[in-house]
Amino acid sequence: MTARRIIPCLDVKDGRVVKGVRFEGHVDMGDASELAARYRDQGADELVFYDITASPEGRTLDYGWVRDIARLLDIPFCVAGGIRSVDQAAACLDNGADKVSINSPALERPELITEMAERLGSQCVVVGVDSRREDGDHVVHKYTGDPDARRAAGRRTMDWIVEAQERGAGEIVLNCIDQDGMRKGYDTAQLSDARSRLTIPLVASGGAGSVSDFLDVFDRANVSGALAASVFHSGAIAVPDLKAFLAGAGVEVRQ
């Protein structure tokens, strides 16, 4: 496997980065541009920006904002938020994004994954999956950026990630809602199950609280990358320190 990726995630609402626990109770964490520049300078491998209210509000993200972020960065970044058509996805790429991530719109119309992959290339298409354990199984939720709009999507998580791969997704980001913001570690069991079903890269999301949690998810779930938010935004973990720890433990990371 290639070097494992460390990916700070910025949930954006009205131009500000916010973070909640299990997608609720969001608090302000700072300016999106300032945090992006910090992570660029610290050596993050990629950044992910989620406009968390775009899908619930029935809109897409601001292309001008994507362009402004692109001017700041010399590392890859992915954007997400209400992208419902290939043209909207292409506009994000035209304005400087390296990847686009779709979540609720893909659940509403799965053909969107294939359409984007055929026109833009699978390497640009990320499918985000918000998963929660219910009645003994993991199920997908949609509209997770708005606690009032969030609801189950009527799909089992493992079935959906396999379908997304078959439809042309180039990467899956699996966010485990039960762990999100808890800082108690990633759901390595669920992620391992997902990894065994996929041939495309899998990125873990939800639960990072210590540098050991990153080592654990790479060792136990064999994911390609680990995404985190609050531990980076708060300064609890600095990207250079995390990479030094992982390298010392034998995990290949980009320095």
Side-chain angles (χ1 to χ4, degrees), residues 21-157:
V21 176
R22 295 174 176 168
F23 294 1
E24 297 181 0
H26 291 109
V27 296
D28 188 282
M29 301 299 291
D31 179 78
S33 297
E34 291 176 1
L35 285 171
R38 180 206 296 178
Y39 299 135
R40 173 202 64 199
D41 294 343
Q42 286 186 348
D45 297 302
E46 297 179 17
L47 297 180
V48 175
F49 298 88
Y50 291 127
D51 185 332
I52 62 171
T53 58
S55 282
E57 293 176 358
R59 61 175 176 81
T60 193
L61 45 77
D62 181 343
Y63 305 130
W65 179 80
V66 176
R67 187 166 57 251
D68 291 342
I69 290 295
R71 292 193 182 109
L72 277 176
L73 299 179
D74 56 4
I75 58 174
F77 73 99
C78 176
V79 296
I83 299 168
R84 289 182 166 80
S85 72
V86 179
D87 287 344
Q88 290 173 341
C92 292
L93 300 178
D94 289 343
N95 281 284
D98 297 278
K99 302 177 185 177
V100 291
S101 180
I102 52 175
N103 189 326
S104 300
L107 289 161
E108 295 166 358
R109 196 172 70 84
E111 296 82 3
L112 177 60
I113 302 171
T114 305
E115 293 167 4
M116 288 173 56
E118 289 179 347
R119 177 169 161 187
L120 306 175
S122 290
Q123 76 280 358
C124 298
V125 182
V126 179
V127 173
V129 181
D130 295 325
S131 176
R132 188 168 196 171
R133 190 168 184 82
E134 295 179 3
D135 299 324
D137 202 357
H138 291 105
V139 298
V140 182
H141 280 237
K142 59 183 178 180
Y143 305 134
T144 53
D146 182 347
D148 295 326
R150 188 179 86 188
R151 60 180 183 270
R155 289 177 176 270
R156 294 191 301 179
T157 300

Side-chain angles (χ1 to χ4, degrees), residues 6 39 41-44 210-212 214-215 231-232 235-249 251 253-255:
I6 303 300
Y39 299 135
D41 294 343
Q42 286 186 348
S210 68
V211 292
S212 296
F214 289 86
L215 177 61
V231 291
F232 292 140
I237 296 176
V239 174
D241 296 339
L242 172 59
K243 286 193 168 187
F245 170 81
L246 291 171
V251 177
V253 292
R254 298 183 184 93
Q255 297 294 343

Side-chain angles (χ1 to χ4, degrees), residues 133 138 158 174 176 179 185-197 202 216-217 220-223:
R133 190 168 184 82
H138 291 105
M158 298 305 153
L174 180 55
C176 307
Q179 306 298 111
Y186 294 94
D187 186 344
T188 55
Q190 184 180 180
L191 289 158
S192 294
D193 191 9
R195 176 70 277 165
S196 70
R197 299 166 189 261
L202 173 67
D216 191 49
V217 77
R220 292 175 179 265
N222 197 30
V223 294

